[in-house]
Amino acid sequence: MTNILFAAEKSDLYLGDTIYYLVLFAILLLAVKHFAWGPVTDMMEKRRQQVIEDIDKAADERKKAEILAGEREEQLKSSRQEATQILSTAKTNAEAAGKDIWNQANEEAKNIREKAKADAIQAKSDALNEAQAQVADISVQIAEKVIAKNLSAADQKDLVDQFIKGLNK
């Protein structure tokens, strides 16, 4: 064993240097572990956690977006149905209003026709009453003339003819 230890002496590599290098390497490893490896590992762990959180958050946001898209689609369908119903109701109301206007116009026209008929009947009645009154006046006048004068048959015929001609005017 002594040959092994001294063998290093012949190659200009000493056991003391080897141990020194090994100790320095161990110290360097401890320093790297303490100053670099720990913070790098912590940084990598934080980054890994951040990536996991971002992926989870993105999945949650995607689910929310899908839910919102479904709700929006349902609202759109509902809005379309409401619009169709509103249009249908408006059309029905417009048709009903048109029928009401038509019925009112027909009723007013009927009332106007009935009033015109009543006015015509009243005018006819008034004309007949006036004609009767005139005939009565003429009859009284004729009677007065007849009484005032004895009329011959020819005079009576002339009087009646004059009376008839007076009615035609």
Side-chain angles (χ1 to χ4, degrees):
M1 207 151 110
T2 56
N3 288 341
I4 297 175
L5 289 176
F6 296 116
E9 289 179 13
K10 292 181 185 180
S11 67
D12 291 333
L13 185 61
Y14 299 109
L15 181 64
D17 289 339
T18 306
I19 293 173
Y20 175 72
Y21 289 129
L22 286 174
V23 169
L24 281 179
F25 183 71
I27 291 173
L28 182 63
L29 280 177
L30 288 175
V32 166
K33 181 179 179 189
H34 179 70
F35 291 109
W37 190 258
V40 168
T41 304
D42 289 343
M43 182 183 69
M44 292 302 285
E45 181 62 27
K46 287 178 184 177
R47 179 68 185 142
R48 186 180 70 83
Q49 290 296 328
Q50 182 67 35
V51 168
I52 290 171
E53 288 175 10
D54 289 346
I55 289 172
D56 290 343
K57 188 176 180 181
D60 290 343
E61 292 297 324
R62 184 179 48 81
K63 286 179 185 176
K64 287 179 185 177
E66 288 174 358
I67 291 170
L68 288 175
E71 289 175 359
R72 187 175 57 241
E73 187 67 30
E74 288 298 319
Q75 288 175 350
L76 184 60
K77 286 179 184 177
S78 176
S79 296
R80 286 179 182 159
Q81 289 174 350
E82 285 180 28
T84 302
Q85 185 178 9
I86 289 170
L87 288 175
S88 176
T89 303
K91 183 179 178 182
T92 303
N93 289 344
E95 288 174 357
K99 286 180 182 177
D100 287 345
I101 291 170
W102 180 259
N103 290 337
Q104 286 176 355
N106 283 338
E107 189 67 30
E108 287 178 16
K110 181 181 173 184
N111 290 340
I112 290 170
R113 283 191 301 267
E114 289 175 2
K115 187 172 189 272
K117 272 185 183 178
D119 289 347
I121 290 171
Q122 184 63 40
K124 182 180 177 182
S125 175
D126 290 345
L128 286 175
N129 289 338
E130 187 178 332
Q132 285 177 352
Q134 287 178 355
V135 167
D137 287 342
I138 292 172
S139 296
V140 169
Q141 288 174 359
I142 291 174
E144 286 176 357
K145 287 182 183 180
V146 168
I147 294 174
K149 166 179 173 186
N150 266 340
L151 294 176
S152 65
D155 289 336
Q156 287 179 2
K157 185 177 179 199
D158 285 339
L159 190 59
V160 170
D161 287 339
Q162 287 175 1
F163 175 73
I164 291 173
K165 286 180 185 176
L167 286 178
N168 288 334
K169 292 181 184 179

